[in-house]
Amino acid sequence: MYKFGDSLENDSQGWTKSRNNKIEGKTKTHFISPSSQKEHTSILVLVINAENNEDIIEKLNNQKKVKTEMWEKVYRSTEALWIGTEEHFKHTGLKNRFSNTDQINQRSEYDVYFIQIKLQEVHSGFRANASSLKRADAFEALSNTEHKVIDTSPRLSVLSTNNLPLYRS
């Protein structure tokens, strides 16, 4: 945890890193979730394959949260994700996917939906370098933490994931 005197810096996803050089002469890095900083709100973006997942997309839109009975399907359907602060989200190009009104000329089994979720707590399993076990734990924990599905994109071509700071789940 951050201690007075540690240096602070932001990483590429809006997380604050605390560096403490007092542990056996080595630098130890801790991540302080954006939700623990009053001026930041955390945003989780999921890219879900559209094929055979219309029911999950509809439930997320209607219920505005990932419920206990659906976390596993959401986890298995997620092809890519991103997490960071709300401020960083505005500068990633991800926001444009939610206002994209381009119609898909021909549906494909590779089409996707982008789901934007506002988080009160951030699980380390959503980080880019998390193991698949940690990632599954994070999705399960999501159903038991305060969060809200804010927006869902229209059905988009998988090409809409190009050139974005997404990482594979």
Side-chain angles (χ1 to χ4, degrees), residues 48-54 77 107-113 155:
I48 296 181
N49 179 277
E51 190 74 9
N52 300 320
N53 290 314
E54 299 286 342
S77 304
R107 287 184 168 214
S108 164
E109 64 184 292
Y110 303 109
D111 291 345
V112 296
Y113 287 96
R155 185 175 178 141

Side-chain angles (χ1 to χ4, degrees), residues 20-148:
N20 183 337
N21 294 319
K22 298 179 175 145
I23 301 173
E24 298 174 8
K26 296 180 183 177
T27 299
K28 186 167 183 169
T29 301
H30 301 280
F31 286 94
I32 302 169
S33 83
S35 61
S36 68
Q37 301 171 26
K38 291 181 183 173
E39 69 276 4
H40 295 296
T41 299
S42 299
I43 299 293
L44 173 65
V45 175
L46 306 178
V47 179
I48 296 181
N49 179 277
E51 190 74 9
N52 300 320
N53 290 314
E54 299 286 342
D55 62 325
I56 272 297
I57 301 303
E58 187 177 328
K59 283 181 183 177
L60 290 171
N61 277 329
N62 293 336
Q63 298 174 1
K64 300 295 184 198
K65 65 184 307 176
V66 177
K67 301 247 178 163
T68 304
E69 64 275 3
M70 62 197 293
W71 76 262
E72 191 170 5
K73 184 157 187 185
V74 172
Y75 166 67
R76 293 190 189 286
S77 304
T78 299
E79 293 185 351
L81 60 144
W82 176 89
I83 193 163
T85 64
E86 190 170 30
E87 185 61 33
H88 192 239
F89 171 76
K90 293 174 185 176
H91 303 288
T92 61
L94 288 163
K95 188 173 184 164
N96 299 337
R97 298 312 184 262
F98 295 94
S99 59
N100 190 338
T101 56
D102 294 340
Q103 294 293 321
I104 298 175
N105 292 335
Q106 190 165 359
R107 287 184 168 214
S108 164
E109 64 184 292
Y110 303 109
D111 291 345
V112 296
Y113 287 96
F114 287 74
I115 309 294
Q116 180 184 356
I117 301 173
K118 183 184 271 189
L119 301 175
Q120 297 301 318
E121 294 178 37
V122 178
H123 193 288
S124 62
F126 289 124
R127 303 276 301 154
N129 58 355
S131 69
S132 59
L133 184 57
K134 284 268 189 199
R135 181 92 67 232
D137 288 346
F139 275 87
E140 184 175 20
L142 183 60
S143 67
N144 297 316
T145 59
E146 188 65 34
H147 70 282
K148 182 178 180 182

